[in-house]
Every structure is written in structure tokens, then in C-alpha cells.
Amino acid sequence: MKVLIATEKPFAAVAVEGIRKEIEAAGYELALLEKYTEKAQLLDAVKDANALIIRSDKVDNEVLDAAKELKIVVRAGAGYDNVDLDAATAHNVCVMNTPGQNSNAVAELVFGLLVFTVRNFFNGKAGTELKGKKLGILAFGNVGRNVARVAAGFGMECYAYDAYCPKEVIEAAGVHAVDSQDVLFETCDVVSLHIPATPETKQSINKALVGKMKKGGIVVNTARKEVINEPELIELMSEREDIKYVTDIMPDAHAEFAEKFAGRYFSTPKKMGAQTAEANINAGIAAAKQIVGYFKEGIERFRVNK
Ligand code: 3PG
């Protein structure tokens, strides 16, 4: 049985070693394709793989066609919008994610970005503090919950909106549950995005919504670039010079944002939210265990396709 790790953005070496131990203990072989730059390299590497561990790497119909022996793909992470689920189902390939395993890392980065922002990107000018500010958490999943936990340490007042999470669950975490996205943006000084990229959410963070924020509003995005309506956010930020946008996922219109909004726009050059040794170990080893569990015992707990 051959398990391939295919990661354009590699795991920490210590995580790869942890994965190797799990795979070899099960009697399987581990192959590694890291930092690949061409899709052709992936198409070649998947040819004889029975299982695949990926991160944000794209697995589409072409990859699945090339992977003749493939039975399972595990996205070591939360969001699986990079995998064509219908194509995987059509190829009889099981797709899983590893929810929660990298969520603390992403939540910590939210605060790294926020401190950097409220201190004026460390330009020497007096900034502001997070204490006492209202933080809006858009979607109360694994990352959102960790964001609330860390925010409490900063003395922030947390609000959340999640269409799929019961209000009682949100309130039990010491967070005010609000009835809509609109109310969240209206109420909060900072809104942190933790929604997946789905047909419903794509482009949903638009001018009307962000325009509801009070003076000095900050939007922090450690979710997906696809949820932002970039042309409308550019329009809004051109009209409202008080709004700031900081993101861990470089927008398609990065050059325009950077040129027009110096001092109130920042993007990491490469998505760094889950890029810690701990998150890599947690998500990578969980992926390896899920593959072994699937082959040896038929466990499908984190399956995300039909
Ligand atoms: C996730 O969905 O788990 C995060 O966005 C992390 O993505 P990455 O593994 O590509 O860093």
C-alpha cells in the first residue's frame, strides 16, 4: 500500500517523520512530493498511490484520472474546497478532512494580524489596543471557538454569527450570539472570518456588509479569498478611508489593494495560518491515522463526499 504526501507548501519535517511512523507501523510505504511547481509532477506522482495526503493542493478530475490506484484522499486541514468531491465520488475515491487539528494555529495568527494592524503595521505611530473592543466571529466552528478563547485573554468582547450552530452553544462559550451577519458587522469593531468557501459564501463579504461597520472597522480574513467580493471591497475602501483589511490569503487583486490602501491593507505572502509545527503534526498524523483506519477497519468518520 503506497501513501503519497503531496504538498506544494510542505509540512514541518517533524510532522513528516510522525506521518512516516504511522504509515510504516501499518506496513505501508510512504512517498513524498513536496514543493512541486507543476501539475505534471503531481500527475506523475499519484500514478501508483493508493492514498493521498494533501493540504491546499488541488485534486481535480485530471488528478483523479491519473491516480488509477487511488482509494482515499485526506486533506490534512479543515477546508476541502480544493478537492472536486463529485469527481472523487465518480472515481470511487473517499475524501476526508481532519477538522480541528490546525484550528489553534489559525486562531493565534488572527491575533498576530490584529496586533500588527492596530499598532499601525509597526510604523512607529501610536496605535490602539484590542482590550475592550468588540470582536465579531463569523462562523463558530473550530477556528471561531479558538478565536473566542484567545480573545478573552485580550479582554475583547466577543460576538458571533453562525447559521448552523445553535445559539446556546455560542452563548455557553461566553460569546454573544447575534441573529445575522448584518448585525455582526454593525456591532463589532473587528470582524474575523471563519466561513468555508461554498457556493453560499463565495463573494458574500461585500460592500453592503462591510459598509455596515463603524468608523475604523477592521476585517481579518484567515478563511478563504473566495469569500470576499474583491471589486466591492476595493470600492468601499476607496470611499471609506477608515476601513482596514488584513488577510492571510492573498487576494487576486493584491497589487491594487496594496497600491491603493497602503497602511490599511496587509496580506501574508503565503497562507501561514496552519503553518506551525504543532498544526502540521496534529493534522498530518490525524490524516495518516485516518488512512490506516480506513484501510484496516473501514472507518469513514471524517468522510466529506458521498
Ligand atoms: C485549512 O483549511 O485547514 C487551512 O486553510 C490551512 O490550509 P493549508 O494546509 O494549505 O495551510
Side-chain angles (χ1 to χ4, degrees):
M1 198 73 77
K2 187 166 173 181
V3 179
L4 173 70
I5 299 178
T7 47
E8 179 271 321
K9 183 176 64 186
F11 291 121
V14 62
V16 175
E17 281 325 298
I19 295 169
R20 184 182 300 285
K21 274 194 192 132
E22 293 292 335
I23 297 302
E24 290 180 353
Y28 305 159
E29 182 195 341
L30 186 75
L32 199 54
L33 174 70
E34 290 182 324
K35 293 188 195 168
Y36 60 93
T37 49
E38 307 294 331
K39 189 177 185 183
Q41 295 170 271
L42 179 61
L43 294 176
D44 187 49
V46 294
K47 271 184 190 154
D48 58 350
N50 305 105
L52 185 57
I53 297 175
I54 53 161
R55 298 185 62 176
S56 290
D57 307 82
K58 285 203 169 43
V59 173
D60 59 13
N61 200 55
E62 198 185 355
V63 173
L64 291 157
D65 273 347
K68 298 267 180 272
E69 310 299 325
L70 195 64
K71 298 279 175 289
I72 177 168
V73 177
V74 183
R75 192 283 189 242
Y80 44 87
D81 46 303
N82 48 320
V83 182
D84 185 334
L85 297 186
D86 291 338
T89 302
H91 285 81
N92 282 318
V93 171
C94 171
V95 182
M96 295 184 187
N97 67 347
T98 66
Q101 300 292 348
N102 58 19
S103 49
N104 179 66
V106 179
E108 288 190 13
L109 187 77
V110 168
F111 291 89
L113 289 169
L114 281 180
V115 171
F116 182 55
T117 305
V118 296
R119 298 302 183 98
N120 296 318
F121 302 163
F122 304 155
N123 71 355
K125 289 190 186 147
T128 57
E129 299 181 19
L130 295 175
K131 187 178 174 189
K133 303 295 187 303
K134 292 186 165 84
L135 173 64
I137 302 171
L138 186 53
F140 207 62
N142 288 307
V143 182
R145 289 164 209 216
N146 275 284
V147 166
R149 175 181 54 79
V150 180
F154 276 93
M156 299 185 86
E157 197 185 334
C158 290
Y159 293 76
Y161 174 71
D162 190 319
Y164 304 98
C165 177
K167 274 189 166 186
E168 303 76 58
V169 173
I170 296 175
E171 300 274 349
V175 174
H176 304 289
V178 298
D179 287 324
S180 67
Q181 298 195 135
D182 286 4
V183 175
L184 194 74
F185 278 79
E186 262 161 37
T187 310
C188 295
D189 303 294
V190 177
V191 174
S192 189
L193 308 178
H194 302 294
I195 43 178
T198 65
E200 269 178 319
T201 64
K202 281 183 184 168
Q203 311 252 322
S204 65
I205 309 303
N206 56 22
K207 187 177 179 189
L209 191 61
V210 182
K212 294 191 184 299
M213 293 189 89
K214 292 179 279 193
K215 192 167 187 302
I218 300 170
V219 176
V220 54
N221 184 6
T222 55
R224 289 289 182 272
K225 71 175 177 188
E226 289 82 1
V227 303
I228 304 288
N229 184 323
E230 293 184 14
E232 289 196 16
L233 184 58
I234 289 171
E235 206 179 303
L236 177 75
M237 289 176 73
S238 305
E239 287 169 20
R240 286 213 22 205
E241 295 189 0
D242 57 303
I243 298 286
K244 296 190 170 90
Y245 179 54
V246 284
T247 179
D248 186 35
I249 314 95
M250 190 173 277
D252 292 334
H254 167 71
E256 193 177 350
F257 274 99
E259 191 201 317
K260 291 191 169 150
F261 312 123
R264 57 196 179 100
Y265 162 78
F266 172 77
S267 174
T268 53
K270 202 162 185 82
K271 189 166 69 158
M272 291 300 293
Q275 200 56 328
T276 65
E278 293 89 338
N280 291 173
I281 291 168
N282 293 344
I285 293 179
K289 287 193 159 132
Q290 287 172 216
I291 287 168
V292 174
Y294 181 71
F295 283 135
K296 294 210 188 275
E297 294 172 69
I299 299 170
E300 298 196 353
R301 180 163 171 218
F302 295 113
R303 184 170 187 145
V304 293
N305 66 330
K306 301 240 166 49

